[in-house]
Amino acid sequence: MTDVVASAPGKFVILGEHAVVYGKPAITVAIDRRFTVKIRKGPEFMINNEPADINQNPHLKYISSLHDSVPVSVFMDSRIPPGSGLGSSAALSAAFSMAMRTMNGLKTDPESIARESFDAEYYAQGRGSPMDTSTAVHGHGIALNIPNCGEKLWTIDKNSNSWDIYGIDIPQMTFVIGYTGIRAPTGPLVEKVRKYKDSNKFAADVIDEIGDVTLEGMEAIKRNDLVRLGELMTHDHKLLSILGVSCDELNKLVDVTLPYSYGAKLTGSGGGGCMISLTDRPDEVSKAILSRGGVPIIISTKVEGVRASMT
Ligand code: MEV
């Protein structure tokens, strides 16, 4: 019997999370932590050898429903902590889409996987941008809605928003991730920002400002200007805090790493999850994160996107 194995990377956000939901620019990088799935046909839907209810797995349910095939047994192995802001569910969606398409002999070009996995995320979360799924598909670094920053990959539209997605070169930079250990699902945090934005002009201005900061951050990346990029990241953390998506644990990890960093901020949806520090002193940053009860994650970034193989 033929199994298909597919995997996709997690990600962190240099700048632009939450504002990207409204079509503002964002910059992300794939990390060397992958979500791997192995699928095998029938006789019933199973996860890791146990019969499972597909309704409890909306990403898998959505993608399975697109493919007229017998049920699959899914084996999952993830190195991305769930609810950590590191793109675990996007990596699952991209890997599962790739695996199902490979098994069913369908197109597996990156754009098709990016569209299908974003639709699965949107179905599961009820909201959001194609940032995480496009990063999981392309790997390396991507930018959204920043013209002339790299090779245009694809455009994705949803409701009244449109995102042009570019593959970008990320120069050699050292980032350290600090994980609070707090699991924080994305959907409710995105919804919290939406309510704030819809009821308060000030929140809409903050979202615009995150967009401006992100555009300037792309210019700093192009110049390899770590000092300016770090300042912009720290400022972005303040703007995200105003939107209500930071928390004490994230603020503590950001504060404790700043003396050894060009800049630091929460990454992903916030509410817990992870922060990142841009630094040339990764050992001191890691120790500082540990000293405040966080888990440092040293990552490398020249990472390949979704891929599959038959076994
Ligand atoms: C989550 O990694 C990023 C958010 O901007 C949500 C999204 O873009 O879908 C908070």
Side-chain angles (χ1 to χ4, degrees), residues 159-177:
N159 303 327
S160 56
N161 287 311
S162 180
W163 297 270
D164 290 332
I165 294 159
Y166 301 84
I168 57 169
D169 281 335
I170 300 287
Q172 184 51 48
M173 292 190 264
T174 304
F175 291 96
V176 178
I177 292 176

Side-chain angles (χ1 to χ4, degrees), residues 11-13 16-22 26 28 85-87 118 121-122 125 127-133 144 163 186-187 189-190 193 240 245 267-270:
K11 65 92 195 38
F12 68 88
V13 187
E17 55 271 271
H18 284 288
V20 69
V21 172
Y22 306 99
T28 64
L86 299 180
F118 173 50
E121 275 271 275
Y122 203 90
Q125 256 169 227
R127 48 191 82 81
S129 80
M131 173 175 75
D132 293 11
T133 38
L144 295 90
W163 297 270
T186 300
L189 289 150
V190 173
V193 173
L240 290 163
V245 295
T267 188
S269 45

Side-chain angles (χ1 to χ4, degrees), residues 51-229:
D53 178 3
I54 200 160
N55 295 309
Q56 301 297 318
N57 293 273
H59 300 86
L60 305 190
K61 180 180 174 186
Y62 180 86
I63 293 167
S64 298
S65 74
L66 301 176
H67 302 287
D68 184 21
S69 65
V70 293
V72 285
S73 226
V74 187
F75 302 86
M76 298 191 197
D77 177 22
S78 177
R79 299 278 181 270
I80 312 167
S84 64
L86 299 180
S88 157
S89 66
L92 166 63
S93 299
F96 189 63
S97 166
M98 179 66 150
M100 288 294 274
R101 284 176 159 265
T102 303
M103 179 166 269
N104 291 300
L106 299 174
K107 277 169 64 178
T108 56
D109 60 294
E111 182 167 345
S112 301
I113 309 285
R115 290 184 185 286
E116 187 166 294
S117 51
F118 173 50
D119 285 344
E121 275 271 275
Y122 203 90
Y123 170 78
Q125 256 169 227
R127 48 191 82 81
S129 80
M131 173 175 75
D132 293 11
T133 38
S134 285
T135 313
V137 170
H138 180 68
H140 306 278
I142 70 161
L144 295 90
N145 288 349
I146 307 184
N148 306 318
C149 65
E151 177 206 359
K152 173 97 171 277
L153 298 174
W154 46 75
T155 298
I156 294 185
D157 302 307
K158 180 74 84 187
N159 303 327
S160 56
N161 287 311
S162 180
W163 297 270
D164 290 332
I165 294 159
Y166 301 84
I168 57 169
D169 281 335
I170 300 287
Q172 184 51 48
M173 292 190 264
T174 304
F175 291 96
V176 178
I177 292 176
Y179 180 33
T180 59
I182 300 168
R183 193 173 167 163
T186 300
L189 289 150
V190 173
E191 181 58 13
K192 181 177 179 181
V193 173
R194 187 194 62 77
K195 281 197 183 131
Y196 191 21
K197 174 182 170 290
D198 287 354
S199 63
N200 191 315
K201 168 79 175 65
F202 179 64
D205 290 347
V206 170
I207 286 171
D208 286 345
E209 192 174 342
I210 292 176
D212 295 343
V213 162
T214 305
L215 287 178
E216 201 190 331
M218 190 71 233
E219 292 306 311
I221 290 173
K222 284 186 191 160
R223 293 193 307 273
N224 210 357
D225 183 347
L226 302 188
V227 172
R228 185 63 189 140
L229 180 60

